Amino acid sequence: MKKIIGVILIIGGLLFASLAVKALVSAPQSYERIRAAVTIKDGRILPDNEGKLVVVSGTLKAAEQLQDPITGVKLPGVTAKRTVWTYKQDTGSDDEKVWDWHPENTDYSEKANFGINAEILTTTVLAAPTVLGEFKVESKLLNPIIRNTEFTQYDEESLNAGWKVLSGGKESRYCVSKEHWLPKKTTGMYSSTGYGSQKISYGIVSPDDPLEYTIIGMQKGDTIVKAEDIDSVTTFKGIMTAEELAEENKKGVRGGSIFGIVAGILLAIIGVGMMAFRRQ
């Protein structure tokens, strides 16, 4: 078994390191591509920039109220995250069964969660129609914005039929549910009480965030869309020019690549060590 794990660690480590090296080698090309982009500080849409890579900075604003299509909950800002929690049994021994709340998914990427603003009961990213200056902003460009503040200020009148606000205590976590009462964890005994119960919580952008961001993307009509040939982060906090954005990109790629190379080599060394230990 240790031999198999060792082989996996070696292969995984070398692959991890090779990908980091590849990113480091391609960084200068990406840097030059970003640096050559058109900087737009006033947010104006110019026909001459159609189809070009542009760097647009300013204050993000919601053109419409951000609202969860499933529950009707109204949220502040331009983007939020919806987390679906399910009440189920923890992994444990038969003598010590524990029931508690578990998030259904913690991957908030568009691919993992049926798209942005998913209209099914799943963890997902929510995004309002958003503008940056005169530009509309493609929703996927809002994904990198941090949403780590727990939402608590519910407007109960905006909720869709059947959804209720839960209040106070660890078990509710300021959530909404279709049930008035939800179970608390049970320890030391088997209980199906509340099995399958679900609730929803929301993470929002901090109210203190001025929403001043710089986005790099393609100008497509009146919209800035994600450029498919830009693999790095596309949305940065603060106001920057194309050259400043390129420098930030270079630092990020360099730091991430060095970490990836070191981590990959360490994994491979651990794998070699496990295989050598087995031979002894």
Side-chain angles (χ1 to χ4, degrees):
M1 185 65 182
K2 284 188 176 180
K3 182 178 179 181
I4 295 173
I5 295 174
V7 171
I8 292 172
L9 286 174
I10 292 171
I11 295 174
L14 292 177
L15 180 61
F16 198 45
S18 65
L19 289 174
V21 170
K22 182 180 178 181
L24 193 61
V25 171
S26 62
Q29 183 179 356
S30 177
Y31 168 79
E32 289 302 327
R33 176 102 170 93
I34 295 172
R35 195 169 68 86
V38 179
T39 297
I40 301 175
K41 286 186 175 181
D42 56 5
R44 292 182 60 200
I45 298 172
L46 299 176
D48 290 348
N49 294 328
E50 179 67 21
K52 293 182 180 179
L53 191 65
V54 294
V55 172
V56 187
S57 57
T59 302
L60 293 168
K61 296 179 181 179
E64 297 176 19
Q65 172 76 56
L66 177 58
Q67 188 168 16
D68 186 342
I70 291 289
T71 63
V73 171
K74 291 182 178 179
L75 299 157
V78 298
T79 183
K81 63 184 180 184
R82 175 213 295 160
T83 302
V84 176
W85 299 76
T86 298
Y87 191 70
K88 56 188 177 182
Q89 183 185 323
D90 282 336
T91 303
S93 66
D94 291 338
D95 296 330
E96 187 78 4
K97 293 181 183 294
V98 178
W99 291 73
D100 206 349
W101 289 101
H102 298 269
E104 279 296 287
N105 195 349
T106 53
D107 182 350
Y108 291 91
S109 67
E110 181 182 7
K111 182 178 180 181
N113 292 287
F114 305 94
I116 293 172
N117 295 327
E119 295 190 25
I120 59 174
L121 196 59
T122 182
T123 293
T124 190
V125 168
L126 301 171
T130 300
V131 295
L132 185 60
E134 296 179 354
F135 286 88
K136 295 177 183 176
V137 180
E138 187 179 28
S139 294
K140 63 178 66 176
L141 291 171
L142 302 176
N143 205 24
I145 297 176
I146 296 173
R147 302 163 289 254
N148 58 4
T149 301
E150 190 173 74
F151 178 67
T152 62
Q153 303 299 316
Y154 289 96
D155 172 17
E156 297 195 44
E157 293 183 359
S158 70
L159 297 182
N160 291 334
W163 289 93
K164 305 291 182 183
V165 178
L166 304 174
S167 60
K170 178 184 175 184
E171 301 305 325
S172 69
R173 294 174 61 95
Y174 297 101
C175 297
V176 292
S177 172
K178 287 199 171 184
E179 300 177 57
H180 291 278
W181 176 86
L182 288 171
K184 294 183 179 180
K185 62 183 178 181
T186 304
T187 307
M189 59 178 288
Y190 180 85
S191 172
S192 60
T193 303
Y195 177 74
S197 294
Q198 289 184 307
K199 62 183 182 179
I200 293 176
S201 67
Y202 298 95
I204 59 173
V205 179
S206 169
D208 297 327
D209 190 332
L211 292 179
E212 290 187 342
Y213 283 86
T214 298
I215 295 178
I216 182 168
M218 300 294 294
Q219 178 175 313
K220 186 176 181 181
D222 63 354
T223 305
I224 179 170
V225 302
K226 192 175 188 309
E228 298 303 325
D229 57 345
I230 300 294
D231 296 326
S232 58
V233 177
T234 54
T235 304
F236 289 81
K237 195 174 183 65
I239 307 297
M240 287 182 266
T241 63
E243 183 139 5
E244 291 168 336
L245 194 61
E247 287 295 333
E248 286 294 317
N249 178 266
K250 182 192 286 187
K251 291 176 188 175
V253 170
R254 185 182 298 154
S257 296
I258 292 172
F259 172 81
I261 293 169
V262 172
I265 292 173
L266 285 176
L267 284 175
I269 291 173
I270 293 171
V272 171
M274 291 183 71
M275 294 184 68
F277 179 77
R278 176 176 171 77
R279 291 196 188 98
Q280 294 175 1

